[in-house]
Amino acid sequence: MRILVIEDERKVASFIKNGLEEERYIVESAPDGESGLDIALNNHFDAIVLDVMLPKKDGFSVLKELRSAGKVTPVLMLTARGTTEDRVTGLDLGADDYLPKPFHFEELAARLRSIMRRSSTEKSTKLTCADLVLDTVSHVAFRWGKEIELTTKEYALLEYLIRNKSRIVSRSMITQHVWKHNFDTESNIIDVYIKRLRSKIEKVGHPKILQSIRGVGYRMREVSPDDTEQIEDYSEDDS
Ligand code: CA
């Protein structure tokens, strides 16, 4: 699960980020409203933590623009203590919940889980590609009727690839969505993860669903059972 934290107070931002990372979320953060909105509009997040008082663009404007652009990502607003007006404004603009500052991390985490649960019941909770099924609530993958054991990172990578099914995703897209913006794109960690993922979701003799597009990136694709491009081995990734 990916969460975006838009908060200008560095201490608060890292307090939230560290806490969420400990709970195995993938966290991006933005220090002002303008960059936060830009990141939110161009990426998929499962939830956004949005402060009201922000430089460049305040939280209400960010929320308003997000919703008018059709983004339904659940939003938890951080409001100043005792400002009823702020809470009402936020909820009217489409915030899913609010949390007055200061707060305990446990409460923030509980509210985030709650808004993510709420939103996931409205949309489909299953993603599929061929006979691979991903349950986005329980974070479990199935293929050939069997559960596939995945680490948090492998799951995040697979979910991203399936959400972008039939599209080629480059290494830098994967980096931005599954790792962090400042992640070293020169490292071969993505290839290592892809290889590991492949060994779990594919089988020799079955149609290939995760393709390597040499020099460009990767693509998940739908296949029919009689597809001719079958898995032979994984050596093409060793380039
Ligand atoms: Ca602030």
Side-chain angles (χ1 to χ4, degrees):
M1 301 287 255
R2 291 183 84 226
I3 295 173
L4 174 63
V5 178
I6 310 177
E7 165 65 88
D8 58 315
E9 284 165 74
R10 224 183 263 181
K11 264 192 184 167
V12 181
S14 61
F15 166 70
I16 298 173
K17 193 168 184 281
N18 294 341
L20 291 174
E21 283 178 344
E22 261 174 49
E23 300 211 352
R24 304 177 83 192
Y25 290 104
I26 293 158
V27 186
E28 290 277 340
S29 54
D32 63 75
E34 223 168 71
S35 64
L37 178 65
D38 186 54
I39 295 172
L41 287 174
N42 294 297
N43 296 279
H44 168 81
F45 289 98
D46 298 288
I48 298 171
V49 177
L50 178 61
D51 188 31
V52 172
M53 301 280 283
L54 287 170
K56 294 190 184 169
K57 201 182 274 281
D58 68 72
F60 294 136
S61 309
V62 172
L63 180 61
K64 207 170 163 184
E65 288 183 44
L66 207 59
R67 292 298 184 239
S68 56
K71 279 269 181 185
V72 294
T73 318
V75 170
L76 174 65
M77 293 212 85
L78 302 180
T79 62
R81 196 178 192 84
T83 50
T84 316
E85 213 176 297
D86 273 10
R87 293 170 203 174
V88 175
T89 309
L91 294 172
D92 280 348
L93 288 172
D96 295 78
D97 202 356
Y98 62 85
L99 184 61
K101 284 179 171 177
F103 51 84
H104 289 287
F105 177 77
E106 288 69 27
E107 187 171 6
L108 176 113
R111 281 171 191 253
L112 274 177
R113 281 195 298 272
S114 153
I115 62 173
M116 287 192 279
R117 233 185 350 255
R118 232 185 287 160
S119 84
S120 65
T121 56
E122 286 157 19
K123 301 174 218 151
S124 170
T125 58
K126 302 263 196 297
L127 296 172
T128 62
C129 182
D131 52 359
L132 179 69
V133 181
L134 220 59
D135 186 324
T136 59
V137 177
S138 59
H139 285 191
V140 176
F142 296 91
R143 197 171 184 200
W144 304 297
K146 273 190 194 153
E147 183 180 333
I148 301 165
E149 283 200 31
L150 299 172
T151 64
T152 306
K153 215 50 165 182
E154 289 166 355
Y155 175 84
L157 175 61
L158 183 59
E159 184 182 317
Y160 177 65
L161 288 166
I162 293 189
R163 282 192 191 277
N164 289 283
K165 184 168 72 173
S166 306
R167 250 179 96 190
I168 297 175
V169 295
S170 66
R171 275 188 180 71
S172 71
M173 285 164 75
I174 293 174
T175 302
Q176 282 177 29
H177 286 81
V178 184
W179 274 268
K180 304 285 172 58
H181 280 125
N182 56 2
F183 177 79
D184 176 15
T185 45
E186 297 304 307
S187 98
N188 69 345
I189 190 126
I190 290 171
D191 307 83
V192 172
Y193 270 91
I194 289 278
K195 206 167 174 180
R196 216 185 288 166
L197 190 58
R198 232 185 218 146
S199 72
K200 293 187 176 184
I201 65 167
E202 295 192 323
K203 255 190 216 167
V204 172
H206 285 267
K208 185 177 264 188
I209 56 172
L210 176 49
Q211 293 177 299
S212 290
I213 316 292
R214 201 176 280 274
V216 185
Y218 303 94
R219 177 169 60 196
M220 287 290 281
R221 57 175 202 139
E222 290 286 0
V223 287
S224 58
D226 54 351
D227 204 289
T228 50
E229 198 197 348
Q230 297 193 342
I231 307 293
E232 283 161 16
D233 56 53
Y234 303 119
S235 58
E236 67 171 289
D237 295 321
D238 294 335
S239 57

